[in-house]
Amino acid sequence: MRLETRAFGRTGLVVPAVGMGTWQTFDVTGTAAEAGARLVVDRALSAGATFFDSSPMYGEAERVLGLALDGRRAEALVATKIWTSSARDGRRQAERALAFFGGRVDIYQVHNLVAWREQLDLIDELKADGRVRLSGATHYSASAFGDLRRVIESGRVDTIQIPYNPLERDVERVLLPLAAERGIGVIVMRPFAEGALTARQPPASALTPLAPFGVRTWAQALLKWSLSDPRCHVVIPATSKPERMTENAAAGQPPWFGPEERTLVERLAARR
Ligand SMILES: NC(=O)c1ccc[n+]([C@@H]2O[C@H](COP(=O)([O-])OP(=O)(O)OC[C@H]3O[C@@H](n4cnc5c(N)ncnc54)[C@H](OP(=O)(O)O)[C@@H]3O)[C@@H](O)[C@H]2O)c1
């Protein structure tokens, strides 16, 4: 079965349900490490997980992702970010990213809402030039969700990127309902709580009720937990291991969980 694709809100773009993040995992240098990153991207592309997220905040990650996509950029959707309070540095970041990604960024986001009005002016300009398709804003912290709400209400972004996992559910109160109402594309970061959730695996027997949903591993249960909320469009787990990319992508297929299965995953995630 192929990975599910979803309408990305009302943006007109269709995205795979599972993509990939690059924080830490792609911040590498040297031939061997860069070849390793390319193997992860190989697996992602062959599984249909063609959505890749990066940022200038992630060290070498944009450059390494660009290299890994060399010769097959057209198969991918690239989401990256502007992360600076300076208009001049923003422009410099955009020129670098556009050079890494074949002259096009599919989704250009303002990282952590830093100088969001000014950086959205730049992103709008790049959209008008045809070098960017969609604009977005991201934040990892619930303390900034009031500001992220105001950004959505300003009507200036097509997408948001937010954390969502069984231990971080603040987005359910305002952001997910508002995004759904406005037709905003929703990218889910941190599905494993930066690895804290995958570090504590429940016993394999606890996952038996999830087997009819195609779940074989705890990581798949967590990914399916977020994707079973139809207001989420693409989840972007990061991994440095090619086989885990295949495992993660397999969670992006129906059937989706109902309330009972989601509650089971929440209970397992809360165990110490
Ligand atoms: N964290 C943030 O604050 C933040 C902020 C903005 C954007 N983002 C974006 O969201 C992406 C995802 O978030 P994240 O990287 O913070 O954390 P995450 O995806 O929740 O967790 C990543 C960790 O999970 C492990 N992992 C991946 N697949 C696994 C599997 N199948 N089984 C067991 N462990 C597995 C990885 O280790 P291995 O490498 O060993 O597989 C890695 O340590 C980022 O890469 C970035 O693009 C994150």
Side-chain angles (χ1 to χ4, degrees), residues 21-23 25 53 58 81 111 140 161 189-195 198 219 236-241 244 247-248:
T22 58
W23 182 52
T25 50
D53 178 72
Y58 306 160
K81 312 184 188 89
H111 201 145
Y140 68 96
Q161 183 180 146
M189 66 162 91
R190 238 155 64 171
F192 306 140
E194 298 181 10
T198 39
I236 51 166
T239 184
S240 53
K241 302 185 174 65
R244 285 187 171 169
E247 174 190 339
N248 294 345

Side-chain angles (χ1 to χ4, degrees), residues 63-75:
R63 181 187 63 80
V64 171
L65 178 61
L67 273 180
L69 287 171
D70 189 32
R72 50 205 179 156
R73 170 67 182 90
E75 295 171 51

Side-chain angles (χ1 to χ4, degrees), residues 202-210 264 268 271:
S205 59
L207 301 181
T208 308
L210 305 178
L264 170 63
L268 294 172
R271 287 162 25 131

Side-chain angles (χ1 to χ4, degrees), residues 163-169 188-203 207 217-226 235 237-238 244 247-248 262 264-272:
Y164 191 40
N165 63 58
L167 302 181
E168 290 180 281
R169 302 181 60 177
V188 174
M189 66 162 91
R190 238 155 64 171
F192 306 140
E194 298 181 10
L197 278 167
T198 39
R200 290 200 316 260
Q201 301 266 340
L207 301 181
T217 68
W218 176 229
Q220 290 175 336
L222 290 165
L223 295 172
K224 207 156 234 198
W225 181 89
S226 56
V235 62
R244 285 187 171 169
E247 174 190 339
N248 294 345
R262 287 189 106 219
L264 170 63
V265 175
E266 287 153 24
R267 266 201 289 117
L268 294 172
R271 287 162 25 131
R272 294 275 151 201

Side-chain angles (χ1 to χ4, degrees), residues 78 88 105 210 248 258:
V78 171
R88 204 172 59 176
V105 168
L210 305 178
N248 294 345

